[in-house]
């Protein structure tokens, strides 16, 4: 009998044990009630700064059960409302009389250059779907190509450029030329994947044939595959002479295509010259630009003959030929600062005796007219006389890589080593109005010291200058804002945050650190603490805690700014971005890439009510995103910016974050304010998106 009672007692204990364990497990996945009181009074042992191998107080939590992967084909495409756009680089232009049509970011600008020293702005188009790569004119219509579209515009009383038609069935369109009522489009991806290891990828392109006899209803009537990247084309007497940059097979050059019947174009001759970015025809001579210049006799289109070649180490993207000179758009790349476009002028004696010297008006980024050379580049338009002397400019903001929003103003700067801070105001958060630009001094002439991040608090702007420390500006005087102080601080400063008179950065100078700067007196910034961190990465400060995303999530207590202390972590997560609120943060991490799955990105929701023990609640995995650029939380919507576009993640239910849409807009950095998203779009300039409309329809 005793044995029976004993067995029953044991059974009850086991049941009670498992019941309690189950209850505890359920409690583990829910937010804790409040922050432990121990945080308010940090113990002495917690205040000791750590060195290279820190000791952690918090403990890691296990990764939740993997969630389903959302592939690109499953992504919902949406078109968010682009309410304004300004600035950007200029890749293309064309000339008609004294008018210059100039691509500026995602708009077409009409300029009157009858007085070249003072170009006059006349009109601009609406916001297009991408940066303009090439422009052509036929009659009263302007035809331009973005990477994915053919757009037709009409000039109305010199006051507006009205979009009247658009075709969006293409990819990577590089050039457009028009012959009678037919438009020919050259397309293809760049061939080089990684030039540092000479890794070449397949870059098959196309020649597209579009009937524009009715400009209001263009229609594609034919296409033809090209083995490489079709970069530029020229039409002459029933033939297309196409520059084919086919580096995947290490052979590029001139392709001759018969278009006597536009609906059935066919290749009649391949003539390999190596890298080929542009082609210009003068009389019976074809000049190919790439790694130098090649001159080819095309008297017989079926049997081209190389006459001369001028080889260089520079890559020429485009060219115009006038008299005895070549005007060339040269690409110059600098590690960490991106690629820029320069104008080169060459006079080649061997060529001069061969060709007749007739002028040629051609090119996507360069053209000749009225005895002037017009060159489009990162910062707008330069006008030169035929000797190469600058006679006029039209300046734009150029590529924009960083952005911040505060009160009623937007702050942005170039992302390629620029030293100007641009300030805009906006009406109803939508219409941008340029206020002024501020020149930032260069303190280290040998450093890569361009503006890399911006933070605003009250009337002060705090800028990281990559390898040149922190620059502090007083914005109170709207007429003249100047730098009032500068603090040298390590190198590779690419994130900054400011809260309550303290600035936080994560510099790399041999080792990664968390730097806390006291700016209560902004004219005399003081380094309050410099604490070693497990890595360098994206940094966000929320209330009295700093969240560092790099190979995991690391949480630092900032109650005592002179001794920040690491108190919690989620390790080995590949985290690259973090944002959030006081009780939850959102991590974005790049998972391992494989041939079967591609590169995957996970968005995780982490409960940080107890910062000593962060707990992952839910996650979402997106497949095959491009390079991740930035992350921004706006109420219950997480905006994730990548090279593939802007992804919207609904985090209303933290245990089940959901993908709700994707817009093709791209950029380098984003900020948000009052339901609007501000994107520093690189070559596309500054883009404003109204996200309130989408949220109102999808509460």
């Amino acid at each position: 009998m005793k044995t029976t009672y004993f067995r029953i007692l044991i059974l009850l204990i086991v049941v009670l044990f498992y019941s309690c364990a189950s209850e505890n497990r359920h409690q583990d996945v829910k937010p804790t009630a409040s922050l432990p009181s121990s945080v308010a009074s940090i113990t002495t042992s917690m205040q000791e700064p750590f060195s290279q191998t820190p000791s952690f107080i918090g403990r890691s939590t296990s990764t939740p059960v993997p969630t389903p992967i959302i592939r690109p084909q499953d992504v919902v495409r949406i078109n968010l409302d682009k309410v304004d756009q300004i600035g950007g680089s200029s890749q293309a232009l064309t000339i008609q009389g004294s008018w210059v049509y100039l691509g500026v970011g995602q708009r077409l600008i009409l300029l009157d250059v009858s007085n070249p020293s003072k170009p006059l702005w006349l009109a601009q188009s609406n916001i297009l779907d991408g940066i303009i790569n090439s422009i052509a004119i036929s009659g009263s219509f302007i035809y331009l190509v973005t990477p994915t579209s053919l757009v037709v515009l009409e000039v109305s009383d010199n006051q507006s450029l009205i979009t009247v038609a658009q075709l969006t069935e293409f990819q990577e369109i590089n050039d457009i030329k028009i012959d009678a009522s037919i438009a020919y489009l050259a397309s293809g991806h760049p061939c080089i994947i990684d030039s540092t290891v000479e890794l070449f990828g397949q870059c098959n392109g196309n020649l597209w044939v579009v009937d524009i006899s009715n400009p209001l209803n263009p229609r594609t009537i034919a296409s033809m595959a090209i083995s490489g990247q079709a970069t530029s084309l020229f039409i002459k007497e029933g033939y297309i002479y196409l520059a084919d940059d086919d580096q995947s097979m290490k052979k590029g050059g001139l392709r001759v295509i018969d278009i006597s019947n536009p609906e059935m174009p066919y290749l009649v001759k391949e003539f390999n010259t190596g890298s080929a970015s542009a082609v210009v025809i003068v009389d019976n001579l074809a000049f190919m630009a790439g790694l130098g210049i090649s001159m080819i006799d095309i008297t017989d289109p079926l049997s081209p003959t190389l006459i001369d070649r001028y080889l260089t180490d520079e890559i020429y993207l485009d060219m115009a030929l006038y008299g005895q000179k070549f005007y060339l758009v040269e690409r110059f790349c600098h590690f960490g600062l991106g690629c820029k476009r320069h104008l080169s002028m060459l006079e080649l004696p061997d060529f001069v005796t061969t060709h007749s010297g007739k002028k040629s008006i051609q090119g996507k980024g360069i053209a000749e007219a009225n005895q002037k050379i017009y060159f489009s580049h990162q910062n707008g338009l330069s006008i030169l006389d035929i000797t190469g002397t600058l006679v006029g400019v039209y300046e734009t903001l150029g590529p924009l890589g960083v952005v911040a929003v505060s009160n009623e103003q937007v702050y942005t700067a170039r992302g390629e080593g620029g030293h100007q801070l641009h300030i805009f105001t906006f009406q109803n958060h939508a219409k941008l109005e340029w206020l002024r630009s501020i020149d930032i001094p260069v303190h280290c002439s040998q450093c890569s010291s361009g503006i890399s991040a911006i933070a605003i608090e009250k009337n002060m702007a705090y800028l990281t200058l990559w390898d040149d420390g922190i620059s502090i500006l007083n914005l109170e005087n709207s007429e003249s804002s100047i730098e009032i102080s500068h603090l040298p601080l390590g190198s590779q400063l690419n994130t900054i945050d400011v809260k309550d008179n303290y600035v936080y950065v994560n510099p790399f100078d041999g080792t990664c650190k968390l730097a806390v700067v006291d700016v209560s007196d902004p004219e005399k910034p003081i380094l309050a603490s410099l604490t070693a961190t497990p890595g360098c990465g994206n940094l966000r400060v929320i209330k009295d805690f700093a969240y560092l995303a790099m190979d995991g999530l690391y949480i630092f207590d900032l109650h005592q700014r002179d001794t920040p202390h690491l108190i919690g972590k989620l390790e080995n997560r590949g985290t690259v971005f973090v944002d959030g609120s006081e009780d939850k943060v959102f991590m974005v991490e790049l998972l391992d890439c494989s041939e079967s799955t591609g590169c995957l990105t996970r968005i995780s929701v982490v409960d940080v009510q107890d910062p000593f023990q962060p707990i992952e609640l839910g996650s979402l995995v997106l497949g095959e995103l491009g390079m991740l650029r930035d992350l921004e939380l706006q109420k219950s919507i997480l905006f994730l910016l990548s090279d593939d576009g802007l992804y919207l993640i609904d985090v209303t239910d933290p245990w089940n974050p959901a993908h709700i849409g994707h817009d093709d807009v791209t950029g380098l950095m984003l900020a948000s304010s009052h339901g609007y998203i501000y994107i520093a779009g690189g070559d596309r300039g500054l883009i404003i998106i109204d996200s309130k409309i989408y949220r109102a329809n999808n509460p």
Side-chain angles (χ1 to χ4, degrees):
M1 191 70 174
K2 291 182 180 180
T3 303
T4 302
Y5 284 132
F6 181 75
R7 289 177 178 175
I8 293 174
L9 179 61
I10 294 298
L11 180 61
L12 289 173
I13 292 173
V14 171
V15 170
L16 181 62
F17 173 82
Y18 278 103
S19 175
C20 293
S22 175
E23 182 178 350
N24 288 336
R25 282 198 299 271
H26 286 295
Q27 289 176 352
D28 283 344
V29 299
K30 293 183 179 180
T32 53
S34 60
L35 188 68
S37 58
S38 58
V39 174
S41 56
I42 306 298
T43 62
T44 304
S45 62
M46 293 182 185
Q47 296 174 10
E48 295 298 325
F50 60 86
S51 58
Q52 295 295 344
T53 309
S55 59
F56 299 101
I57 296 175
R59 67 175 185 270
S60 300
T61 60
S62 60
T63 304
V65 177
T67 56
I69 298 173
I70 298 178
R71 297 293 183 185
Q73 60 268 23
D74 301 323
V75 169
V76 179
R77 302 286 172 175
I78 60 175
N79 290 314
L80 295 172
D81 186 13
K82 283 79 173 176
V83 295
D84 204 4
Q85 179 274 341
I86 192 168
S89 66
S90 299
Q91 308 279 26
L93 77 138
T94 193
I95 303 172
Q96 186 180 58
S98 61
W99 287 357
V100 170
Y101 296 90
L102 178 70
V104 179
Q106 290 185 245
R107 293 188 192 267
L108 181 68
I109 305 294
L110 174 59
L111 301 172
D112 182 349
V113 293
S114 53
N115 180 357
S117 63
K118 295 181 179 179
L120 177 64
W121 183 95
L122 296 178
Q124 69 180 13
S125 72
N126 61 334
I127 303 171
L128 305 173
D129 65 350
I131 192 166
I132 300 169
N133 282 339
S134 186
I135 308 165
I137 298 176
S138 180
S140 60
F141 293 94
I142 301 100
Y143 299 82
L144 57 86
V145 289
T146 69
T148 58
S149 297
L150 166 65
V151 183
V152 186
L153 301 100
E154 187 174 16
V155 182
S156 176
D157 300 326
N158 304 346
Q159 298 300 316
S160 58
L161 294 167
I162 302 172
T163 300
V164 296
Q166 184 171 1
L167 280 180
T168 58
E169 58 192 71
F170 312 108
Q171 289 186 343
E172 298 298 329
I173 302 297
N174 298 310
D175 196 11
I176 179 174
K177 293 294 188 296
I178 293 175
D179 183 32
S181 61
I182 303 294
Y184 297 90
L185 283 58
S187 74
H189 294 269
C191 300
I192 297 180
I193 297 175
D194 188 346
S195 60
T196 61
V197 295
E198 294 189 353
L199 178 61
F200 298 93
Q202 295 299 319
C203 53
N204 297 336
N206 282 282
L207 172 69
W208 298 91
V209 185
V210 180
D211 183 348
I212 56 171
S213 55
N214 179 2
L216 306 184
N217 185 30
R219 58 189 183 90
T220 302
I221 59 174
S223 67
M224 173 186 164
I226 304 296
S227 61
Q229 181 191 18
T231 55
S232 173
L233 55 86
F234 197 107
I235 302 171
K236 177 180 170 63
E237 297 174 354
Y239 291 95
I240 282 180
Y241 297 86
L242 185 143
D244 181 6
D245 202 9
D246 188 356
Q247 296 180 24
S248 63
M249 301 297 294
K250 298 192 177 181
K251 60 172 187 178
L254 183 66
R255 307 293 180 251
V256 184
I257 301 169
D258 188 319
I259 54 170
S260 54
N261 179 359
E263 296 186 10
M264 298 183 64
Y266 64 95
L267 181 68
V268 296
K269 186 63 179 179
E270 287 188 353
F271 189 83
N272 295 331
T273 60
S275 174
S277 301
V279 56
V280 168
I281 307 293
V282 179
D283 294 337
N284 290 321
L285 295 176
F287 296 90
M288 305 287 297
L291 285 171
I293 302 174
S294 298
M295 183 172 66
I296 303 166
D297 187 342
I298 56 168
T299 303
D300 181 359
L302 305 184
S303 182
T305 304
L306 180 65
I307 296 177
D308 204 351
R309 176 177 290 178
Y310 176 79
L311 295 177
T312 67
D313 293 330
E314 292 80 17
I315 298 176
Y316 297 129
L317 301 177
D318 211 341
M319 66 176 168
L321 179 60
Y322 183 78
Q324 299 180 351
K325 295 182 176 66
F326 290 89
Y327 298 87
L328 300 141
V329 179
E330 177 185 343
R331 182 175 66 186
F332 174 78
C333 297
H334 185 281
F335 179 74
L337 297 179
C339 295
K340 300 182 179 181
R341 293 146 60 91
H342 296 283
L343 181 65
S344 299
M345 184 172 63
L346 292 178
E347 188 168 0
L348 308 178
D350 291 342
F351 285 4
V352 171
T353 59
T354 308
H355 72 79
S356 62
K358 291 183 179 179
K359 65 182 180 181
S360 170
I361 303 175
Q362 283 297 318
K364 299 188 293 293
I366 189 168
E368 184 280 330
N370 309 316
Q371 295 187 334
K372 298 290 188 296
I373 301 298
Y374 299 82
F375 169 49
S376 60
H377 48 80
Q378 282 86 356
N379 296 319
L381 173 71
S382 294
I383 306 174
L384 305 93
D385 64 22
I386 58 175
T387 66
T389 303
L390 184 67
V391 297
V393 296
Y394 175 78
E395 293 186 356
T396 67
L397 297 175
L400 297 175
V402 293
V403 63
V405 182
S406 179
N407 298 325
E408 298 297 318
Q409 294 184 344
V410 181
Y411 304 85
T412 186
R414 286 185 58 190
E416 296 182 347
H419 288 83
Q420 270 196 333
L421 177 68
H422 305 293
I423 305 176
F424 299 85
T425 186
F426 39 76
Q427 302 170 1
N428 299 322
H429 292 271
K431 187 63 178 176
L432 287 168
E433 180 182 344
W434 179 83
L435 290 180
R436 63 193 184 280
S437 296
I438 304 171
D439 291 322
I440 308 302
V442 177
H443 301 275
C444 175
S445 58
Q446 302 301 316
C447 299
S448 300
S449 56
I451 299 171
S452 55
I454 306 171
I456 307 293
E457 186 176 62
K458 299 176 182 177
N459 291 318
M460 308 301 298
Y462 303 91
L463 315 177
T464 54
L465 304 179
W466 190 240
D467 288 345
D468 201 11
I470 299 174
S471 175
I472 303 178
L473 283 72
N474 188 342
L475 304 173
E476 192 169 5
N477 187 336
S478 60
E479 297 300 324
S480 60
S481 300
I482 59 173
E483 181 184 79
I484 60 172
S485 61
H486 172 261
L487 181 67
L489 193 65
S491 60
Q492 295 186 26
L493 307 177
N494 62 350
T495 62
I496 187 169
D497 211 343
V498 57
K499 292 286 186 300
D500 302 326
N501 293 323
Y502 283 90
V503 168
Y504 305 87
V505 295
N506 185 217
F508 175 80
D509 192 6
T511 59
C512 299
K513 305 175 181 68
L514 172 62
V516 182
V517 181
D518 184 345
V519 291
S520 53
D521 182 357
E523 295 186 6
K524 297 178 180 179
I526 299 173
L527 182 62
S529 60
L530 193 62
T531 306
T533 60
C536 296
N538 182 252
L539 176 69
R540 290 293 170 95
V541 176
I542 303 171
K543 202 174 179 181
D544 291 315
F545 298 94
Y547 299 87
L548 177 65
M550 186 63 183
D551 297 329
L553 175 67
Y554 299 90
I555 306 174
F556 291 81
D557 180 13
L558 300 175
H559 282 85
Q560 295 185 0
R561 267 73 174 186
D562 57 344
T563 55
H565 201 87
L566 183 63
I567 60 174
K569 65 170 182 172
L570 289 174
E571 287 184 291
N572 303 319
R573 305 303 295 270
T575 311
V576 290
F577 290 109
V578 62
D579 197 3
S581 58
E582 292 184 20
D583 61 342
K584 297 181 186 67
V585 298
F586 305 91
M587 300 189 306
V588 177
E589 56 182 307
L590 181 64
L591 305 181
D592 291 337
C593 301
S594 69
E595 293 184 3
S596 59
T597 63
C599 295
L600 305 179
T601 300
R602 179 163 59 197
I603 299 97
S604 301
V605 184
V606 181
D607 178 6
V608 291
Q609 289 191 77
D610 179 359
F612 293 88
Q613 185 175 326
I615 300 173
E616 183 172 332
L617 303 179
S619 65
L620 172 71
V621 177
L622 296 177
E624 301 174 36
L625 270 69
M627 180 179 292
L628 301 176
R629 296 293 185 178
D630 204 358
L631 177 72
E632 187 81 12
L633 175 66
Q634 190 178 100
K635 294 189 176 178
S636 61
I637 304 296
L638 202 62
F639 292 87
L640 175 61
L641 186 64
S642 81
D643 283 350
D644 287 338
L646 183 66
Y647 288 80
L648 282 68
I649 311 298
D650 186 346
V651 291
T652 306
D653 179 358
W655 285 271
N656 295 289
H659 170 262
I660 56 177
H662 166 258
D663 189 286
D664 290 333
V665 63
T666 60
L668 301 176
M669 185 180 290
L670 56 83
S672 66
S673 176
H674 295 81
Y676 289 87
I677 300 296
Y678 298 81
I679 297 179
D683 287 336
R684 298 184 181 211
L686 179 63
I687 307 162
I688 305 180
I689 294 176
D690 185 352
S691 64
K692 298 194 302 297
I693 296 174
Y694 184 83
R695 191 165 52 249
N697 296 330
N698 300 267

